[in-house]
Amino acid sequence: MTPAPDPSAYSAKEFEALILGQLDGMYAVARRLTRDATVAEDLVHDAALKALKARGQFAPGTNLRAWMLRILTNTFINGYRRGGLERTTFEGAHQAEDPVADGWISAASMRAMREPEEEALRPVLRAELSRAVEELPDEFRVALVLCDVEELSYKEIAESMGTPIGTVMSRIHRARKLLQERLRKHAVAAGIIAEETAGTNVVPIGRSRKEAKG
Amino acid sequence: MIAEAATRTCRDIERALEAYVDGELDASCVLAIDAHLGSCALCSERVAFAASMKRSLRTAAHAEAAPASLRARFARAAEELARDEELGAKVVPLRPPAAQAHASSDVSPSERGHVSPSERRAAAGLEPARQPPSWRSALPWAAAAAAAIAIGGSMRTLRSGQPGAPANDVATASFASARTQLLEELAGQHARPLPPEEIDPARVTKVFSPIVGVPVRPVAFANVPMNDPWAFAGARLMAVRDEAAATLYYQNHGGTRVTVFVFDANRIAIRSACCLAARLVRVGGEERTIHVGHARGYPLAVSEHDGVGYAVSGDLKEPELVNMAANF
């Protein structure tokens, strides 16, 4: 038996302070979800205010950050996302050309795209990554941003987006594949790595093509 | 044979690698993957690469903290809300059944951590009508209003939802009153203008620009009938919330007045106001989006350029104002 939370558990002032503590994280997510700083501000503002109004529905002791992000995500999905046409085009494109079917990037290329000794991409690719994220379809972007920027669990993301966990995983997977492919192309263009045979599995160094086909 | 098996394993565990990087696997799976990574250079590199992507994205996203203007704006809105809640507690609202339905769609069931017995009573319409409502029973009103605005917003999106339209076209705000007030303030300034502080256009630019934070340049309107041109009639500064905006007055021979507001678009976010509709205007082969709204019986046309916001209000019809706003 969970005792019913006291309706007056948080005064508006107290809850406002709690929300202010979450504002940076929410802004970071909003900045990735929208392409424009002004829109990101509006989104966070609306979501924060909605949270404040609905504070009676927050169960004290549960994860405030996840609750706030849920409101932010819903506010974004319900009001801020781009027009439907673009999305349809994107979804159609994915079905026609599944990025998952695309080839691997060789270990050597992947290594060349990273900063040596560090858990980060080369700066030139980091900038491209940000641009590429902006261009992801909304559903993919929301899932990926919640996963990578706010490090929510798949389960929490599924709750936020109102979709099954499998859908969340698939969206994150596809988003990453799209980003990887974009980064690979950019790295080739920037002369960081050499073009690998497109559309086929690239054979890791030290193995023959026959072996790798398995 | 061994190499073949290893390759298949690599493919089989591709998805699991992602869950591994995301920390979603249970301990036994982690151990199995660790064992594989120990002997597979390719998968190790994939994990390292995926981790570097994840980390880069996170670092880039957290590079910017929430701007001070956002904090200030939220604090102000919270204050307003507290006042409204206090007021709401003194007024007994009628509660149409539809309001409750909208309220529940505003904050989805997944957002509801808990529903109190009194809320359940309210949802079932069982609350005594004469009981003084708390802020919470006043909520459905706000929520219903927000839902109605959200619907208006999405309809507008359909109209202006060309793929090339800027993201801001998705007019959005679920909390309208603050921005409606903003429009009212601007229209009010046009309706009852205060005397100009400067009448020399060059001085206006020199004195006002540093205060407003963006270049303030009285312009000559290009696409208006030349037989009755708009003459610059002076300018003054105006406080919009805590920010400064320049107010430029124009007048033609017929006595028709137009007021142009120039402001820092990053500080005064009027463009995404829910009560504005987007209009596409073609200027010299370039398509511009002008946002239009109405307040106090005056139309307002809002345009933005390189971070400078312009709002035009005047004794004109909406299409004429839109054309004027397209000059900026």
Side-chain angles (χ1 to χ4, degrees), chain B residues 12-23:
Chain B
D12 290 346
I13 68 166
E14 188 177 350
R15 291 239 174 168
L17 284 188
E18 247 175 288
Y20 176 84
V21 171
D22 291 332

Side-chain angles (χ1 to χ4, degrees), chain A residues 180-191:
Chain A
Q180 269 179 23
E181 182 54 16
R182 211 30 218 254
L183 289 178
R184 190 191 64 78
K185 282 185 182 151
H186 194 76
V188 170

Side-chain angles (χ1 to χ4, degrees), chain A residues 73-149:
Chain A
T73 312
N74 283 346
T75 310
F76 173 73
I77 290 175
N78 292 332
Y80 281 74
R81 65 203 229 154
R82 290 172 246 154
L85 183 64
E86 189 178 6
R87 198 177 116 236
T88 320
T89 318
F90 261 120
E91 298 275 18
H94 292 307
Q95 274 152 19
E97 190 194 347
D98 191 345
V100 180
D102 273 3
W104 293 347
I105 308 175
S106 72
S109 291
M110 282 192 279
R111 202 171 306 125
M113 287 159 77
R114 291 197 290 122
E115 287 269 70
E117 311 294 322
E118 262 183 72
E119 237 190 36
L121 295 171
R122 286 180 174 230
V124 61
L125 293 175
R126 266 182 258 161
E128 179 67 7
L129 179 68
S130 295
R131 280 192 294 274
V133 169
E134 281 184 1
E135 285 165 30
L136 284 175
D138 285 338
E139 281 81 358
F140 292 13
R141 195 168 65 248
V142 171
L144 185 76
V145 165
L146 291 180
C147 178
D148 284 358
V149 175

Side-chain angles (χ1 to χ4, degrees), chain A residues 7 24 39 42 49 53 57 67 70 74 79 104 114 119 121 148-149 153-154 173 176-177 201, chain B residues 11 14 18 22 24 45 54-56 58 66 73 107 110-111 113 135-136 139 168 170 175 179 272:
Chain A
D24 283 340
V39 180
D42 285 353
L49 208 52
K53 286 191 212 167
Q57 294 168 17
W67 186 75
R70 221 175 295 161
N74 283 346
W104 293 347
R114 291 197 290 122
E119 237 190 36
L121 295 171
D148 284 358
V149 175
S153 69
Y154 292 165
H173 177 65
R176 285 181 176 150
K177 280 287 167 189
N201 286 348
Chain B
R11 287 200 198 169
E14 188 177 350
E18 247 175 288
D22 291 332
E24 290 278 339
E45 188 51 48
K54 191 179 171 85
R55 195 187 167 96
S56 298
R58 183 174 159 77
R73 186 172 153 205
V107 175
S110 68
E111 286 170 14
W135 66 269
R136 196 194 298 231
L139 235 182
N168 300 38
V170 186
F175 192 65
R179 287 186 188 133
S272 47

Side-chain angles (χ1 to χ4, degrees), chain B residues 37-163:
Chain B
L37 292 181
S39 63
C40 179
L42 178 63
C43 285
S44 300
E45 188 51 48
R46 280 161 138 185
V47 165
F49 186 66
S52 73
M53 269 178 66
K54 191 179 171 85
R55 195 187 167 96
S56 298
L57 188 58
R58 183 174 159 77
T59 313
H62 285 278
E64 286 174 86
S69 57
L70 171 60
R71 290 179 178 277
R73 186 172 153 205
F74 174 65
R76 274 197 303 275
E79 233 165 73
E80 270 177 38
L81 177 71
R83 246 198 332 266
D84 290 353
E85 281 176 1
E86 233 165 75
L87 276 178
K90 287 175 193 147
V91 185
V92 180
L94 297 170
R95 188 201 302 277
Q100 190 62 44
H102 281 141
S104 51
S105 70
D106 185 52
V107 175
S108 73
S110 68
E111 286 170 14
R112 288 167 171 265
H114 161 77
V115 180
S116 74
S118 71
E119 276 178 327
R120 250 178 264 133
R121 267 203 312 281
L126 296 177
E127 204 154 339
R130 295 224 168 250
Q131 182 182 328
S134 65
W135 66 269
R136 196 194 298 231
S137 53
L139 235 182
W141 279 99
I149 288 152
I151 291 162
S154 53
M155 284 173 69
R156 199 158 45 247
T157 309
L158 288 180
R159 263 188 275 131
S160 65
Q162 292 87 352

